[in-house]
Structure formats: C-alpha cells, structure tokens
Amino acid sequence: MAYFAMKAHLLLGGPGQLPEDGPLMLYPILLSWINALPGESLLMLRLADLLVACVAGLLLLAMIARESGSRGWGPLLLGVPFLLGMNHTEFIQYGFKNSYQAAFIPLFAAILLWQRMDTPSTRRWLLVGALIALGVLLRETLAPFAVLAVATAWIGHGRRQAWAMCAGGAALALPLLALDVALRGDLTSLLDAYRGSGAVYSAQPQTLDLFMLAARRSVAAAPVPCALSVMATVVLLAVVATRRDRRLLSRSLFWFACALLPLIEPATKAGFPYHFAVMLPAMAMLCALAWRALLPASPKRTWLTIGVLAAGEAFLLVPPVLAQVKESRQAVAEVRQLVRHSWPADQVEQSNYLLAARMLRDAAPPGASASISGFMFSVYPLSGRLPPSGELNNLSARIIQLDLDPVRLAKELATCSPDLVLTTTRTDWPGAPELEQAVVMSSLYERIGVLPADPAKHYGIFGGTLYRRIKPGGHHCVY
C-alpha cells in the first residue's frame, strides 16, 4: 500500500489525478499526504497505521462492553486477548500492509450505533449504512458484511429500515466512486485492476494448502482468543438450548455469521494469516454475548470469572507483553533515528527489502524507473523509484496476466522499458522462470547484481536478480 500512497501523492500534487493502476486503494490515498512529511515515508505510514489500530481497538472495547452488558474489568479482560491477537505481528507484520484496521473503524462505529437501536430512527439507519459503505470502500473484500447487515436489518427490523440502510450506503459510496473514477480518468482502469487481481490469484496453485497453513499459523498467533471463543460457543449453545431464548439465538447467529464470513477470502484466493485475523472481532463479541447470558445473574460467579480470566491472562499474556516492552526502548530509539536520518546500516543488512532498495538506488541516478517482482511493492518507497507504467509495477503479476508467456512480456518491456528490473526467485507464485526469460529475450538489459535468498533475514526466503537497461528501449508507457 505504501507504493500506492507514494504514487497518489505525486500524481495528486502534480497533474491532479489518481494512479490508473491498482484497485480502489482508498486507505493509502487518504494517507498519501504523509509522503510530504520529512523523514522515512514508510515509517510515517506505519505510525499512522498504529494510530488507526488504537482507535479501532478502543471502539472494539466499547462494543464488548455494550454486548456484555457490563462495565469495568470484565469487558477489559475479555477484550485484551483479542486486541493483542489482532495486532500480532503474524497478522499486521510491520504495519501498513493492509487496510483492515482502517475499515474496522467505520464498521465498529456502525455496530455501536446498531447496539443502541432501541428507538431506531431513519437518520440512524442512513448513518449506519453510510458507515458500513465506508468500511467496504476501505477494504473491498468486506462487502459480504454489508450484505449480512442489510439482511439482518430486513429480518430484525423491517424492510423500511433495510432500504434506509441501503440508501445511506449508496449516498456515501456512489459519490466517492464517481470521484475516484473521475480522478483516474475512466472506469475501465478500475475494472481492469480487479480483473487483473482475479487472474493473479486464480493462478495460485496451492489454495487449499495455503488456507490450512494460514489457519494453523493464525491459531498459533492467537491461542487465547481461540480458546475463549470455543468456550463461549459451548456456553451459548447450552444457554440457548435450555432457555429457548430466541433473542439470544438470533444475536449468536449474527456473530457466528460475522466470524465465518472472513473465511470467504482465504478460501477463494491465496490465504494468509491476516485474512483470519478479521474473525477476531466477531469472536470477541461471541465471548461478550456469552458473558451477558451466563454471568450477570450471579455477582459471585462474575467476580470468580474475572479472577480466573485475570490469572490466566497474567500467566499466558503478560510474559510476552513484558518482553515486547523491554524492546520498546530500542524501538523508540530506532524510530527517532529513522525520522531524523535513514535506515541504520545494520538494519539494512538484516532485510532483503532494504537490501533490494539499496541496490536500486546504487544502480542508477535519481529519477530512473524500476520494475520489481515478487509483490515487493514496499521497495518502491524505500528506494524512491517508480515503475514506468502501472502495468509493469509488479512483473510477477504481469507475467501471470500474460498467461506466463515470456515473449509477450519481452515485447511489453521493449515498448515501455524500465531502467532497472528486479526479478524474483519466489516460488509460491508461478512465473519466476518465465519472467527471467522475458528479461533476457528483450536484449535490453545486463545483469548487475544478485539479491541472495537468506531465511535468516527479514523477507529473506526469496531473492532476485537486478538488471540495468543498456539499450535505448521504448517509452510508450501509460503511467
């Protein structure tokens, strides 16, 4: 996303338009102004992402408090494991990698309004619809939640309220989409971006294997939330079966649906742990609902449960948190160093992304264009380079879209020739050998360096080869 924020900043500040490549990308566009600030832009974007995550976390705690029907220690102890899980490095990596946390803010705000719909009004339903639409625009794959929200409003409150929600969503989404299309120049580029992404993901040959691997890694990253959710599910099933409480049943089904809907994305394309992290807020709400169903009738039982939760979290969560706190002083010092200067040399040597960025900077003067591979988009803001064309911003994706035909890619490189090309040895996506063939077949480039794979480094499981253009090439590029 940092690449799109960088490119949007340059284009909005110049010709006053948005990048034609890529999907909607509302979140990086909204934060593109950060590139005008002094210091390392990628770091600043990650700090902004941290603030966004803090706001989303506070809203989640408010949701838990309302759904549990209690205040104080109970909702806090319920929420802490889920907040730690949602912000685990397995899911967020190093920040500003995806826009889920940003999308959570309007979605959580919509839920908080919905939770107070004892005396619903049309204005509130319009506002709820607008907030849900904003959440979907920030992360398009959350669209199934909008469908679930409309269906729930229709069933639980009536057709009129559901239509009001749809009207509110349309009133916000349609003007924003129209503005995006106008700044892009046409609708075709936006549709082509989604079609291209679909072609890339459909080429992933190990969808089920990746799904299961991502699921195991997600459980390993958030074992306490998973265990609490299982216990909450058992409690809710038992209470619903014994009390025949229809309202509790309907709310339980709603949160179950919210917990399961995120599985659509990793099941239909390459699955990664951050896809599963979207389940955590709904799982937290199941725990809050179980709290409301089981505990308030007995104060002694409530305080006993609070004590057990506190002891368990102290045992399971406090040690890793303390370990991170000990490292925070060094992290703050490193942030100050990056804001004032640049990446320390020892950190550059520990990251293949930073090494790749240094190679690109050293290989050609400022202003030279570059095309990367292996979905290493962060190399663009780290190196200060940009691709000559939106279609060539990720050669791994482009070779897939060209049916793994090196001849066709070689012709595109001859028509629109980047000054530098960084290939990849990444094997979890197809096309690495064909990409290398295309660069050689173009006869425009010479090999000037190799980025070796080194699993001991950050993102070191794959490397690549750097090529520099030695012949004139073509400049018929669509930026």
Side-chain angles (χ1 to χ4, degrees):
M1 293 199 303
Y3 156 67
F4 288 99
M6 173 188 181
K7 191 171 180 180
H9 169 68
L10 294 173
L11 290 177
L12 289 172
Q17 65 185 57
L18 288 175
E20 292 187 5
D21 56 318
L24 190 58
M25 288 291 172
L26 180 58
Y27 185 43
I29 290 172
L30 291 175
L31 294 184
S32 61
W33 56 271
I34 289 178
N35 287 271
L37 300 177
E40 177 60 54
S41 63
L42 184 58
L43 171 68
M44 305 299 285
L45 289 167
R46 288 173 172 175
L47 290 175
D49 203 42
L50 171 63
L51 295 177
V52 167
C54 290
V55 174
L58 291 174
L59 291 175
L60 179 62
L61 288 177
M63 288 165 52
I64 292 172
R66 287 186 183 175
E67 194 68 14
S68 66
S70 60
R71 299 179 181 274
W73 287 105
L76 181 61
L77 290 172
L78 281 177
V80 164
F82 291 92
L83 291 179
L84 292 175
M86 289 166 57
N87 293 280
H88 194 281
T89 53
E90 185 69 70
F91 302 131
I92 66 167
Q93 296 179 357
Y94 298 99
F96 207 67
K97 293 289 288 186
N98 60 70
S99 55
Y100 282 122
Q101 297 278 8
F104 284 157
I105 292 178
L107 291 178
F108 290 174
I111 292 172
L112 285 168
L113 279 175
W114 203 328
Q115 288 175 320
R116 299 180 64 180
M117 286 287 193
D118 296 330
T119 55
S121 65
T122 301
R123 288 184 179 180
R124 281 199 175 185
W125 285 111
L126 289 169
L127 181 55
V128 167
L131 288 169
I132 292 173
L134 179 58
V136 173
L137 291 177
L138 286 166
R139 181 70 186 189
E140 302 93 303
T141 54
L142 297 179
F145 287 95
V147 177
L148 174 64
V150 172
T152 303
W154 192 303
I155 295 170
H157 299 274
R159 179 176 56 186
R160 189 173 184 178
Q161 286 74 15
W163 280 115
M165 181 187 294
C166 292
L172 182 130
L174 293 180
L176 282 179
L177 289 173
L179 179 62
D180 181 86
V181 170
L183 291 175
R184 281 174 177 261
D186 58 49
L187 179 61
T188 304
S189 63
L190 180 62
L191 298 178
D192 286 345
Y194 286 105
R195 280 194 291 265
S197 297
V200 170
Y201 284 116
S202 64
Q204 174 58 254
Q206 303 168 336
T207 303
L208 180 59
D209 293 340
L210 284 174
F211 181 93
M212 297 306 299
L213 175 61
R216 290 193 296 269
R217 289 169 60 185
S218 300
V219 173
V224 176
C226 291
L228 288 174
S229 300
V230 171
M231 290 188 286
T233 301
V234 173
V235 168
L236 290 172
L237 289 173
V239 172
V240 168
T242 55
R243 297 181 188 174
R244 307 291 182 180
D245 188 334
R246 290 188 176 183
R247 187 172 185 276
L248 180 62
L249 175 62
S250 63
R251 295 186 79 87
S252 300
L253 290 176
F254 174 77
W255 292 120
F256 273 121
C258 288
L260 294 176
L261 278 180
L263 295 177
I264 295 175
E265 187 174 4
T268 54
K269 66 178 190 181
F272 296 100
Y274 66 85
H275 295 138
F276 290 83
V278 186
M279 301 172 66
L280 290 173
M283 292 163 62
M285 300 307 287
L286 284 171
C287 294
L289 191 59
W291 183 284
R292 175 190 286 270
L294 191 63
L295 297 179
S298 173
K300 290 184 178 180
R301 186 188 301 170
T302 300
W303 283 108
L304 176 62
T305 305
I306 288 175
V308 171
L309 275 176
E313 292 180 16
F315 178 74
L316 296 172
L317 300 179
V318 170
V321 170
L322 288 178
Q324 291 181 350
V325 169
K326 290 180 180 179
E327 298 176 358
S328 62
R329 186 174 300 176
Q330 179 182 353
V332 170
E334 291 174 352
V335 167
R336 289 176 178 172
Q337 162 77 10
L338 286 174
V339 170
R340 296 173 182 173
H341 305 288
S342 184
W343 295 92
D346 59 332
Q347 287 194 6
V348 173
E349 296 297 331
Q350 296 171 11
S351 168
N352 263 15
Y353 270 58
L354 294 175
L355 288 170
R358 187 176 68 183
M359 290 173 66
L360 290 177
R361 286 194 302 270
D362 295 344
S369 61
S371 291
I372 59 90
S373 310
F375 300 82
M376 298 175 69
F377 285 105
S378 295
V379 171
Y380 286 125
L382 289 171
S383 65
R385 309 296 189 198
L386 280 173
S389 164
E391 290 184 337
L392 300 180
N393 63 21
N394 178 16
L395 296 181
S396 294
R398 191 58 185 157
I399 192 70
I400 293 172
Q401 293 164 357
L402 296 175
D403 300 321
L404 302 179
D405 187 343
V407 175
R408 294 171 65 186
L409 181 58
K411 290 180 179 179
E412 290 198 359
L413 291 174
T415 303
C416 177
S417 309
D419 298 309
L420 302 169
V421 170
L422 180 64
T423 63
T424 183
T425 61
R426 191 169 182 175
T427 58
D428 54 337
W429 293 94
E434 292 83 358
L435 170 56
E436 204 81 31
Q437 292 176 32
V439 176
V440 174
M441 289 172 61
S442 71
S443 301
L444 296 173
Y445 297 92
E446 66 173 353
R447 189 171 78 166
I448 61 171
V450 175
L451 179 67
D454 184 355
K457 295 177 180 177
H458 295 301
Y459 296 100
I461 58 174
F462 55 88
T465 303
L466 181 61
Y467 293 86
R468 181 168 54 201
R469 184 161 57 84
I470 56 175
K471 296 181 181 179
H475 301 282
H476 301 287
C477 305
V478 178
Y479 190 66

